[in-house]
Amino acid sequence: VADFPTEFIPASSDGRLIFIGDIHGCNVEFGQLLDAVGFVPSQDKLILLGDFISKGPNSIAVLEMAMKYNAACIRGNHENTLLRRYAKKHGQNTLDSGDYDPSAGGFVHIMADEKKIIKKATQEQIEYIDSCPLILHIPEQIFGPDCGDVSACHAGLMWNVPTLEDQDPAVLLYIRTLLPPDNSTASPTRDGILWNEVWNEYQETLPPSQRRTVLYGHDAKTGLVIKKYSKGLDSRCYKGDYLTALVAKRDGLGGWVNELVSVKC
């Protein structure tokens, strides 16, 4: 868990926080989205919600852009898998190649394009990926005082785990659904109820001071899902749909306003 640096939180409406869903190596659309939102590097701050590499045409170019603009980042399952394979290649551990995926029933093997990224990436680019936390906590009520602070992660959070530090890393990387009847266990498949539905219902039972809004990606099949206490921004760019940003800025009256901006992929 990392705290978002306070110096990157805009003090006025001149600067913005720009959250971007799964880029998956789609460097051209990444650039087009920055143009569409009118990105100003000296004022705005980018936050990438994980899986910004792999599957698409040019993950190295995405890494170059992210580092050029000092983007904050979340570790997604593809970044995590790549780092584990990289570590094994350099004798830093003895783990299976790949990462643990509950939906696959065990370890999944690294993708061919991730092997290419390992070969092409610079040490600085690997270190950038390694610097991405599993959760980025943003102590701002971006979506209003009733919605609490913001936590950004790749896949989602368990509603019944009281602290961010106690969240299961596998859940943070892979969660999509919860198992009935009590919805207290992450599902190894797509069976069950979507985690964000339970999350939103649970937040309503809490006093506003204890609520939390989650920004996440990962679930391309479900797509763009905007709820009061959760904002899912994976809109299947690498499949030819859209790349989406949620742009938040101060309204000049002590609050925040936000909008969604998408480009066709």
Side-chain angles (χ1 to χ4, degrees):
V1 181
D3 290 324
F4 190 70
T6 54
E7 63 266 27
F8 294 143
I9 297 176
S12 71
S13 57
D14 292 335
R16 300 170 297 170
L17 299 177
I18 302 173
F19 301 88
I20 299 179
D22 302 35
I23 300 171
H24 273 302
C26 297
N27 61 304
V28 172
E29 289 85 353
F30 185 21
Q32 291 173 341
L33 184 58
L34 295 183
D35 289 341
V37 301
F39 175 61
V40 180
S42 62
Q43 297 178 337
D44 301 329
K45 185 65 176 179
L46 297 176
I47 301 101
L48 310 183
L49 298 178
D51 282 6
F52 45 89
I53 61 167
S54 189
K55 295 188 178 182
N58 200 332
S59 293
I60 297 298
V62 170
L63 282 167
E64 290 173 347
M65 293 171 65
M67 294 174 68
K68 175 183 177 181
Y69 295 130
N70 193 28
C73 56
I74 304 298
R75 182 181 298 200
N77 52 292
H78 284 278
E79 286 83 25
N80 202 55
T81 301
L82 181 145
L83 289 170
R84 290 181 61 156
R85 179 58 178 254
Y86 184 88
K88 183 177 181 180
K89 177 181 178 181
H90 292 275
Q92 295 173 8
N93 65 27
T94 57
L95 295 172
D96 244 343
S97 63
D99 194 23
Y100 186 74
D101 181 356
S103 66
F107 282 93
V108 292
H109 291 288
I110 192 166
M111 295 180 65
D113 57 339
E114 289 162 8
K115 294 180 181 179
K116 294 178 182 178
I117 297 168
I118 289 175
K119 291 180 180 179
K120 292 182 179 181
T122 65
Q123 181 68 23
E124 290 76 16
Q125 289 168 340
I126 294 294
E127 290 174 354
Y128 173 76
I129 295 172
D130 191 43
S131 73
C132 302
L134 288 169
I135 302 175
L136 188 63
H137 174 62
I138 304 169
E140 282 289 330
Q141 297 173 340
I142 293 172
F143 303 102
D146 289 343
C147 295
D149 290 350
V150 172
S151 291
C153 62
H154 179 57
L157 299 177
M158 288 294 294
W159 65 273
N160 58 338
V161 177
T163 68
L164 295 177
E165 289 77 10
D166 289 332
Q167 292 282 338
D168 184 341
V171 167
L172 296 167
L173 293 169
Y174 288 106
I175 189 174
R176 289 192 177 101
T177 58
L178 300 172
L179 290 174
D182 57 4
N183 301 322
S184 62
T185 303
S187 172
T189 67
R190 283 191 175 271
D191 295 336
I193 187 171
L194 291 172
W195 75 269
N196 58 61
E197 293 184 14
V198 179
W199 179 269
N200 277 267
E201 291 175 1
Y202 177 66
Q203 296 305 304
E204 290 286 358
T205 71
L206 299 174
S209 62
Q210 296 179 23
R211 293 173 185 167
R212 185 184 307 279
T213 299
V214 185
L215 281 82
Y216 67 99
H218 184 58
D219 197 352
K221 185 174 182 179
T222 304
L224 189 67
V225 180
I226 305 300
K227 296 178 178 290
K228 185 173 182 179
Y229 304 104
S230 64
K231 320 291 179 183
L233 300 182
D234 185 353
S235 46
R236 292 168 52 97
C237 184
Y238 79 96
K239 287 286 190 178
D241 288 352
Y242 296 89
L243 185 63
T244 299
L246 187 149
V247 183
K249 68 176 181 178
R250 294 192 183 274
D251 62 7
L253 301 173
W256 291 77
V257 294
N258 57 82
E259 64 173 338
L260 293 171
V261 180
S262 298
V263 295
K264 189 74 174 69
C265 297

